[in-house]
Amino acid sequence: MTYDYIIIGAGSAGCVLANRLSADPGNKVLLVEAGGPDKKMEIHIPAGYAKLHHSEVDWGGYWTEPQKHVLNRKIYLPRGKVLGGCSSTNAMAYVRGNKEDYNDWAAMGNRGWSYEDVLPYFKKSEHNKDLHNKYHGQKGELTVGFAKDFETPFAGAFIKACTQCGFTENNDYNGEQMEGAGPFQFTIKDGKRHSGVTAFLKPAMSRKNLTVLTNTHTKKIIVENGKAAGIEVMTGKNVSQEIRATKEIILSAGSFASPQLLMLSGIGDRDELKTLGIPCIQHLPGVGKNLQDHLFYPVSGLAKLPLGQNHHIKPLNQIADLINYLAFKKGAMTIGPLEAVAFGSTAQSPGRIDYQFHFTSIQVGNNYDVDFYNLKTFPVNKDGFSILPTLLRPKSRGYVSLRSNNPFDFPIIQPNFLSEESDKEVLIVSGKKAIQVVQAPAFDSYRDQLIYPPDSSSDEAILLHIQKSMETVYHPVGTCKMGQDELAVVNHELRVHNIENLRVVDASIMPTIVSGNTNAPVYMIAEKAADMILGYDV
Ligand SMILES: Cc1cc2nc3c(=O)[nH]c(=O)nc-3n(C[C@H](O)[C@H](O)[C@H](O)COP(=O)(O)OP(=O)(O)OC[C@H]3O[C@@H](n4cnc5c(N)ncnc54)[C@H](O)[C@@H]3O)c2cc1C
């Protein structure tokens, strides 16, 4: 089997690439995905979000190593293993990050990646239903907008409470300014998740020059004379197969699997590869390094009235909601867990946004043993709400490395969470602000009492709560970073240094993590990469 382009991984980036590269009927394109088709009903119903993690559409085996600065906890890392990748399992928030994040990338020597350069690529994908200004696109494939078919009063109270605590009210954090509090923008279309598949891949599936192989695990990239020439895969029928590419191979397997695949193919740190018996084809010590992620934890209160989403988690209410959803595409099933958001800054990053509040009208309880993200173990708590203070510009850095040379083993993931004091500081300071927001007058008619953190009397007590309850926001990036320095893996055109015909295009190329959720930036990266691959002047 021979194609012009092979794309490894049908996640957020892979779906965009498959669409753009196959738009020219002259290009024969193959998209290879380890997971299956996106048939699971809960993928498409926004409220089905919580039923996706720990399910058959999740890889299920990604865990961090024990985290020294987080009471030695191992943190679970959900990752979509299905067409659409994480865009089929994420919380659907559409956030681009801060203008300065991209200006930083350009200042590091990555030509063409300033905010001014990347804005057209955000707009290219976007069909914004609600916001019409110079920052938004209307003609793209991806529907973006506010969730209007269901709203709890807690979300409005949160936004108002934030303004009572010094935030600006901001209806468009993707626009002129990011600071402030307002409603989330979501990738939901007609009450259904609008994923990489439904927005970009499905419209291209009927093209004769595009082949999509699901349940096909890429084991390695074949490099011949310094040139990526093909891939070795294991098909769903457990048959090993070689597939060749005449033009390019594009690695879009995400921040854990992309560096893993490079290393399995002999591209990585020469000494590390040697210990696993993998012949080194190209010494690139940065492969897998520079891992960064956002972290959050709950500040949660009980409500006086059952007006939040806990009420809707009860089995009988779920049935009523499902009927309302199926019949009218209205009600609690039309939204995911998130409703509103705020962005702010602490003294650690003067003038720069460094924390985010994810607001959810779900009260998470106050039991540290409960897996917040696993609906099977999640108790139906009394109604309430939670603010999730989120660290946006972490200084801690970690790595992904091989556990073995077996392509089916999960890699070692060592993020070194909270290894930098300033990361703890931002989480503590933003947590105190969140407590202030919960206690603001706008919440008076809804708030019963703050129950989580159980003790917020000192920074030490808040830190202990953070360490016991903290999770990642599932935004790992940076493990195949773009740049020219000794840890750089790809150049500004996303070509792997010193290997021909091989690019990495996914969240792993970010040199520094953006100050916001990462899905929209990955779509942008893939849009720009597609233009570069097709030789357009970018
Ligand atoms: C639970 C969760 C909630 C999130 N919520 C949000 C949110 O609300 N908003 C937001 O902006 N971001 C969110 N994110 C993050 C965002 O979805 C990701 O940053 C983004 O989807 C990453 O895109 P990607 O293309 O880099 O990787 P992925 O989307 O992970 O795609 C990688 C693909 O490669 C496939 N693959 C991996 N290894 C192989 C192999 N060996 N062979 C073949 N295929 C392989 C995978 O199965 C997957 O389909 C969330 C993520 C998760 C997990």
Side-chain angles (χ1 to χ4, degrees):
M1 287 202 284
T2 303
Y3 295 85
D4 294 318
Y5 297 104
I6 297 176
I7 305 159
I8 305 169
S12 303
C15 288
V16 173
L17 288 166
N19 181 314
R20 300 299 182 228
L21 299 185
S22 66
D24 177 348
N27 289 331
K28 209 174 155 202
V29 179
L30 173 69
L31 177 64
V32 183
E33 168 57 40
D38 61 341
K39 285 189 186 150
K40 191 176 169 69
M41 185 179 74
E42 287 90 345
I43 289 177
H44 304 284
I45 302 176
Y49 169 79
K51 298 204 172 168
L52 303 175
H53 317 139
H54 301 277
S55 82
E56 72 278 17
V57 296
D58 188 84
W59 277 85
Y62 288 119
W63 287 88
T64 69
E65 295 299 294
Q67 293 303 287
K68 189 170 152 195
H69 304 277
V70 192
L71 309 174
N72 277 329
R73 285 174 55 213
K74 291 176 93 173
I75 314 272
Y76 185 63
L77 302 163
R79 293 278 95 193
K81 185 184 185 184
V82 60
L83 272 190
C86 295
S87 78
S88 289
T89 63
N90 70 17
M92 297 157 287
Y94 181 86
V95 183
R96 294 173 178 174
N98 196 281
K99 295 173 184 174
E100 294 309 319
D101 297 332
Y102 302 102
N103 292 336
D104 283 350
W105 293 5
M108 288 170 202
N110 297 304
R111 193 157 30 88
W113 291 89
S114 70
Y115 180 70
E116 198 181 316
D117 293 319
V118 301
L119 180 60
Y121 289 104
F122 279 114
K123 290 168 70 175
K124 182 176 182 187
S125 294
E126 185 186 17
H127 166 64
N128 200 307
K129 296 179 296 171
D130 299 315
L131 293 160
H132 299 82
N133 60 45
K134 66 177 180 178
Y135 294 101
H136 293 283
Q138 259 71 43
K139 296 190 185 141
E141 289 82 349
L142 182 71
T143 296
V144 179
F146 300 122
K148 291 179 183 155
D149 295 319
F150 185 75
E151 213 178 316
T152 70
F154 300 159
F158 165 77
I159 295 168
K160 188 127 193 257
C162 283
T163 64
Q164 290 166 344
C165 295
F167 290 89
T168 318
E169 183 165 352
N170 183 359
N171 205 36
D172 184 9
Y173 50 77
N174 288 319
E176 182 65 30
Q177 87 170 29
M178 199 178 190
E179 189 278 329
F184 256 119
Q185 295 166 39
F186 292 107
T187 46
I188 295 176
K189 184 182 181 188
D190 301 330
K192 290 182 173 177
R193 171 191 295 275
H194 215 204
S195 66
V197 184
T198 46
F200 299 101
L201 189 59
K202 289 228 165 105
M205 287 284 243
S206 57
R207 293 176 189 161
K208 291 199 170 57
N209 59 327
L210 173 64
T211 305
V212 181
L213 291 179
T214 50
N215 297 308
T216 304
H217 191 112
T218 304
K219 295 196 292 183
K220 67 181 280 198
I221 297 157
I222 300 160
V223 181
E224 292 166 353
N225 305 318
K227 215 184 247 188
I231 58 173
E232 218 178 284
V233 299
M234 179 70 91
T235 68
K237 293 182 180 148
N238 273 351
V239 176
S240 252
Q241 209 170 2
E242 202 177 296
I243 311 176
R244 312 283 295 182
T246 52
K247 288 186 178 162
E248 285 199 32
I249 293 174
I250 302 127
L251 182 52
S252 300
S255 291
F256 301 139
S258 283
Q260 182 186 20
L261 269 166
L262 287 179
M263 290 186 268
L264 288 168
S265 313
I267 302 166
D269 183 272
R270 128 176 9 100
D271 296 331
E272 282 175 39
L273 296 179
K274 197 170 163 194
T275 57
L276 293 167
I278 300 172
C280 181
I281 288 172
Q282 178 60 48
H283 174 60
L284 274 185
V287 175
K289 308 293 190 305
N290 190 46
L291 174 63
Q292 303 164 47
D293 204 343
H294 295 143
L295 309 176
F296 65 18
Y297 68 99
V299 166
S300 183
L302 294 176
K304 290 176 182 162
L305 297 165
L307 299 171
Q309 293 190 65
N310 292 79
H311 176 66
H312 293 275
I313 299 170
K314 293 177 186 146
L316 275 181
N317 291 343
Q318 279 195 38
I319 295 170
D321 286 335
L322 186 62
I323 293 168
N324 189 19
Y325 178 79
L326 293 175
F328 309 109
K329 286 281 176 309
K330 295 273 177 217
M333 296 251 166
T334 61
I335 63 165
L338 303 172
E339 283 191 76
V341 64
F343 293 95
S345 52
T346 70
Q348 294 293 332
S349 301
R352 283 287 286 269
I353 299 295
D354 66 357
Y355 73 87
Q356 177 178 4
F357 288 158
H358 288 82
F359 178 79
T360 170
S361 66
I362 303 174
Q363 190 271 116
V364 297
N366 57 357
N367 180 353
Y368 291 116
D369 296 329
V370 167
D371 180 350
F372 183 24
Y373 306 101
N374 186 353
L375 204 66
K376 286 181 198 125
T377 63
F378 188 77
V380 183
N381 294 308
K382 202 170 160 241
D383 246 83
F385 45 82
S386 306
I387 298 175
L388 307 168
T390 308
L391 172 71
L392 286 183
R393 305 186 67 215
K395 297 219 169 59
S396 305
R397 297 286 182 267
Y399 62 85
V400 174
S401 64
L402 292 182
R403 199 173 294 281
S404 76
N405 60 13
N406 178 349
F408 297 99
D409 274 353
F410 287 96
I412 295 169
I413 301 173
Q414 174 49 276
N416 289 318
F417 288 143
L418 301 188
S419 53
E420 293 286 334
E421 284 304 310
S422 61
D423 291 354
K424 294 181 191 166
E425 182 69 19
V426 173
L427 283 172
I428 293 169
V429 170
S430 57
K432 286 184 188 168
K433 190 82 178 173
I435 292 169
Q436 212 186 324
V437 170
V438 173
Q439 283 160 347
F443 267 122
D444 282 351
S445 33
Y446 303 114
R447 177 191 56 248
D448 178 351
Q449 56 170 315
L450 182 77
I451 54 161
Y452 217 34
D455 176 6
S456 53
S457 58
S458 65
D459 285 5
E460 291 71 29
I462 296 176
L463 179 60
L464 186 62
H465 171 68
I466 292 169
Q467 290 166 321
K468 285 180 167 181
S469 63
M470 186 214 88
E471 299 286 339
T472 94
V473 198
Y474 332 117
H475 297 161
V477 308
T479 49
C480 298
K481 87 166 190 173
M482 168 171 66
Q484 308 300 325
D485 59 297
E486 61 161 15
L487 287 188
V489 176
V490 297
N491 70 8
H492 69 287
E493 293 180 324
L494 309 188
R495 292 179 191 276
V496 174
H497 286 296
N498 303 323
I499 301 282
E500 278 179 58
N501 297 355
L502 180 60
R503 295 191 213 227
V504 182
V505 180
D506 58 25
S508 71
I509 66 93
M510 295 187 196
T512 44
I513 194 162
V514 293
S515 317
N517 312 57
T518 43
N519 198 37
V522 172
Y523 286 143
M524 174 280 288
I525 289 166
E527 287 285 15
K528 185 168 164 69
D531 270 8
M532 292 191 290
I533 293 165
L534 293 171
Y536 299 139
D537 191 19
V538 291

